Amino acid sequence: MGKVSKKLRKPNRQSERTKSWIFDAVMILMNEKPYNKITVSDITEKAGIARTTFYRNYKEKDDVVFECLNKTFITEILTAEKDENKEKQNTIVILFDYKFMIKHQKNLKKILSTTDIENRIFREVQKYPISIIERFKKMLPEEEYALCRFKICYQLTGSLRVIFDWFINNMPRPVEYLILLINSTNNPNTVKYRNFPNIVFQLKDK
């Protein structure tokens, strides 16, 4: 494998600490009342912060749980060298934070059963692959670039749908089996479209 292309940013510790308080507050409140009954005032009171502090970090309540779901999946774009001609094959690696999902299993199930949240997840997912494959735009002819977009959209949304269904239905098979199934479904590039990026799911080990 080559270098990870994603640049690491120095975390803002104060912001991370505040977001942790807000997230914990939402998780506690979800044990007390339905998610759609929780207000920003409930969250700030439980977290012990001012409303202005909440709105410095989030625009609305849904942003808190959406960020939580984003943390479950971390994307790294890796470059691997392949075949005798050393042609580069781009691989989009999705690190699946299974331990984070299990830690918050009860409340994540509540979140994912909320129709508005589920719809937002898949709206956002439609945007995400487009930002990823912009880096491939210059290396592909226009027709191939369009096919590449369709491929990435299909694989990302389909894979997430499988993961959410598996999770909501009490994880009927081991997570390793799930990842193997998803990766075998996301078939490798054909020779004709060797420059198309592949999507590979891996379990985050830390």
Side-chain angles (χ1 to χ4, degrees):
M1 288 292 184
K3 296 180 180 179
V4 177
S5 65
K6 182 178 63 176
K7 294 182 179 179
L8 299 176
R9 296 180 180 178
K10 188 176 181 180
N12 183 324
R13 292 182 180 179
Q14 179 59 48
S15 177
E16 287 188 345
R17 187 160 50 245
T18 301
K19 286 185 174 184
S20 177
W21 294 337
I22 293 171
F23 173 74
D24 289 344
V26 173
M27 293 297 104
I28 293 169
L29 286 165
M30 286 184 70
N31 292 322
E32 300 174 359
K33 61 176 72 177
Y35 174 75
N36 60 5
K37 299 293 185 182
I38 297 172
T39 65
V40 171
S41 295
D42 292 333
I43 297 170
T44 56
E45 182 179 350
K46 185 70 73 174
I49 61 172
R51 286 176 66 88
T52 53
T53 302
F54 177 92
Y55 286 114
R56 272 201 303 269
N57 291 276
Y58 299 105
K59 291 182 179 180
E60 58 182 349
K61 176 186 71 175
D62 286 355
D63 289 342
V64 180
V65 294
F66 191 71
E67 183 175 82
C68 159
L69 291 169
N70 274 340
K71 286 180 179 178
T72 308
F73 301 97
I74 303 167
T75 304
E76 297 183 1
I77 301 178
L78 306 180
T79 299
E81 292 200 347
K82 183 183 178 181
D83 73 37
E84 296 178 355
N85 297 322
K86 304 295 184 182
E87 293 184 11
K88 291 185 176 180
Q89 177 191 16
N90 294 289
T91 303
I92 299 169
V93 178
I94 311 292
L95 294 181
F96 175 29
D97 195 343
Y98 172 69
K99 293 179 181 178
F100 180 87
M101 182 173 266
I102 293 302
K103 181 179 178 181
H104 301 288
Q105 180 176 356
K106 181 180 177 181
N107 286 326
L108 279 173
K109 282 190 175 183
K110 291 180 184 178
I111 292 168
L112 290 173
S113 65
T114 304
T115 303
D116 290 345
I117 292 295
E118 184 178 13
N119 289 341
R120 180 177 175 185
I121 290 168
F122 286 95
R123 284 199 306 271
E124 294 295 327
V125 165
Q126 297 298 324
K127 302 174 187 175
Y128 183 58
I130 305 306
S131 64
I132 290 178
I133 65 173
E134 279 299 309
R135 67 193 298 265
F136 302 104
K137 191 170 187 177
K138 292 182 180 179
M139 72 171 67
L140 296 173
E142 184 175 349
E143 180 182 350
E144 289 191 17
Y145 175 69
L147 291 174
C148 181
R149 287 175 57 153
F150 300 154
K151 175 180 184 286
I152 300 304
C153 288
Y154 171 78
Q155 290 184 342
L156 270 180
T157 55
S159 298
L160 288 179
R161 178 65 71 184
V162 168
I163 288 172
F164 290 163
D165 183 77
W166 167 82
F167 180 66
I168 291 295
N169 288 288
N170 300 314
M171 299 166 284
R173 298 296 298 270
V175 65
E176 292 81 6
Y177 176 86
L178 175 74
I179 298 302
L180 180 64
L181 174 65
I182 290 172
N183 288 337
S184 64
T185 303
N186 291 340
N187 292 322
N189 295 333
T190 62
V191 174
K192 183 176 180 180
Y193 299 118
R194 67 173 67 247
N195 289 323
F196 281 21
N198 286 321
I199 292 181
V200 175
F201 280 75
Q202 294 179 4
L203 291 177
K204 186 181 178 186
D205 56 7
K206 292 184 181 180

